[in-house]
Amino acid sequence: MTSSQHSHSLTLYHAMSAQFNAQLQSLPDPPGTRPPLSAYSRPVGTSFLLHSGLSVGAWALGYATGRAEAKDWLWPSGMVANAWLQGVVIPAAKADIPISAAWAELGWRQKLVLTGATAWGLRLFYRIASRALRRGKDDPRYEEAKTSDPHFWRNALLTQYLPEATIQTLITLPFTAPFRVGRECLGYDAPWTGIDNLAVGLLSAGLTLEVMADAQVERHKRLGDHGLVRNGVWSIVRHPNYLADALVHLSFPLLLLPTPAFHPILFLGPIANYFFLRFIGGDKENEATQEKRYAEKDDLKLAELKTYQRTKNSFWPGVSELANVWTWVIIGSGGAGVVLERIARAYAAPRVL
């Protein structure tokens, strides 16, 4: 290397170092400690007041119309409304700034969480609303419950609506509390890590799995709705939508892990969501209702359901699903999401190294 080349290399090195140091210095200093647990009482209280109030309203609307499924419409829409209320609206009002400015204050990871929660909620709301409008009557689960319990509406407020409001309060922890706790550090963006890529991959794979599961069910219905859907992503597990839901919600606290507002309590969100899906209003309730309905009206679907239960896991894929091409389609969608996020981050958030 000639002396001129060496001098040029040193000049380039120093220029790049100066640019790198300038980027680091532009970042707010991270706090020395995580927020105390008590700091989360205000956003949790806000969530509970919002969800319980909306649940009482949904109960009153359901009682007036005779359709208990109003609470199903509320499940995704209420949580998305809560995320934007605490993430953008309340901070904008308290600081007396436009909502766009409150959004701009958020770090890249917080924006991903809020966007992901919104995408999850809008897709689920569309799915619930379109099915309800097409059906023209209450969900079969609630029709059966109203028939078997003459005091359904009197009991439902305390046994279904308000308990679900409590669960929603826990589920929304990762996409509400971090926007209210340690907000002065929201602009801090730690270097991107493999955990961040994992979180983005889970979010992308989960959303893709939900959309594909819905599309394949609709295609099955258009072709005559004979028997159960057991191909496509429905060949991975019996309830791909619930698996997808769990992946999406797990991604939120993982994305927030490097941020100043993270606290282990945020993992209560995906845990509460998983508990609800597995043991309260998800696959357990769904299959019990299916078995009873098919026994009365559809012997073919009942027989296929029994076979399906013997051969496929309900929620988590078995090891044998590694040989299933649809498993790799979903894994590939997660990888594609990581690549697309990297492109978007390079344009919108170049400070995240």
Side-chain angles (χ1 to χ4, degrees):
M1 179 182 292
T2 65
S3 59
S4 61
Q5 289 176 324
H6 180 70
S7 175
H8 177 72
S9 298
L10 283 176
T11 302
L12 182 61
Y13 170 78
H14 288 307
M16 292 177 64
S17 297
Q19 183 180 11
F20 177 78
N21 290 330
Q23 287 181 335
L24 285 181
Q25 291 171 5
S26 68
L27 297 177
D29 293 330
T33 59
R34 297 291 186 186
L37 187 60
S38 59
Y40 292 84
S41 60
R42 180 169 294 180
V44 169
T46 301
S47 292
F48 181 72
L49 288 174
L50 175 67
H51 289 300
S52 58
L54 290 173
S55 291
V56 170
W59 174 82
L61 178 63
Y63 180 75
T65 60
R67 295 182 69 163
E69 65 184 2
K71 72 183 183 69
D72 293 344
W73 292 50
L74 180 61
W75 182 269
S77 60
M79 287 195 269
V80 170
N82 188 13
W84 282 90
L85 176 69
Q86 300 207 58
V88 175
V89 177
I90 289 179
K94 291 181 70 173
D96 193 24
I97 58 176
I99 286 179
S100 58
W103 167 263
E105 284 184 351
L106 301 179
W108 178 247
R109 290 174 176 85
Q110 288 86 354
K111 288 178 179 177
L112 285 178
V113 167
L114 192 51
T115 301
T118 303
W120 164 81
L122 291 179
R123 185 218 64 84
L124 183 56
F125 181 82
Y126 171 79
R127 178 65 176 163
I128 292 171
S130 60
R131 289 177 63 183
L133 293 173
R134 187 167 56 243
R135 189 170 54 239
K137 59 182 181 179
D138 212 354
D139 189 290
R141 295 171 297 158
Y142 303 131
E143 292 284 12
E144 180 183 334
K146 288 183 290 187
T147 301
S148 60
D149 182 4
H151 304 295
F152 171 82
W153 288 109
R154 187 177 68 186
N155 299 328
L157 180 62
L158 296 179
T159 60
Q160 296 188 38
Y161 287 78
L162 290 179
E164 287 188 14
T166 303
I167 294 173
Q168 290 165 16
T169 298
L170 294 176
I171 292 175
T172 55
L173 261 172
F175 48 94
T176 55
F179 302 115
R180 304 280 302 280
V181 177
R183 190 171 180 88
E184 66 278 2
C185 299
L186 281 180
Y188 174 76
D189 276 315
W192 203 255
T193 68
I195 294 178
D196 295 302
N197 286 332
L198 173 63
V200 171
L202 290 174
L203 177 61
S204 178
L207 291 174
T208 302
L209 181 55
E210 288 183 324
V211 171
M212 293 185 72
D214 290 347
Q216 289 169 1
V217 166
E218 291 303 314
R219 181 177 182 275
H220 180 78
K221 290 180 178 179
R222 288 195 302 270
L223 295 176
D225 197 21
H226 300 300
L228 296 178
V229 187
R230 293 187 293 173
N231 55 5
V233 296
W234 295 85
S235 66
I236 302 174
V237 289
R238 300 200 305 273
H239 298 282
N241 285 102
Y242 298 153
L243 170 60
D245 208 86
L247 297 180
V248 168
H249 284 271
L250 179 58
S251 73
F252 299 144
L254 288 177
L255 266 174
L256 294 165
L257 199 59
T259 69
F262 175 80
H263 190 284
I265 194 177
L266 298 183
F267 279 104
L268 278 178
I271 291 172
N273 185 62
Y274 176 78
F275 180 81
F276 182 84
L277 291 175
R278 293 308 308 272
F279 306 112
I280 301 178
D283 57 341
K284 182 179 180 180
E285 179 191 43
N286 189 29
E287 290 196 0
T289 304
Q290 283 179 318
E291 287 185 20
K292 188 170 184 178
R293 191 166 71 251
Y294 296 161
E296 296 173 354
K297 300 179 180 179
D298 197 323
D299 292 337
L300 174 61
K301 284 188 176 181
L302 179 62
E304 290 190 350
L305 178 60
K306 295 295 184 182
T307 303
Y308 203 19
Q309 291 171 332
R310 289 194 303 269
T311 57
K312 291 293 177 181
N313 288 353
S314 172
F315 198 98
W316 296 111
V319 176
S320 61
E321 299 309 324
L322 288 174
N324 188 333
V325 65
W326 288 100
T327 301
W328 292 101
V329 168
I330 298 304
I331 292 174
S333 72
V338 172
V339 173
L340 291 174
E341 182 279 331
R342 179 66 183 90
I343 295 172
R345 177 162 36 98
Y347 171 76
R351 295 196 313 167
V352 185
L353 306 177

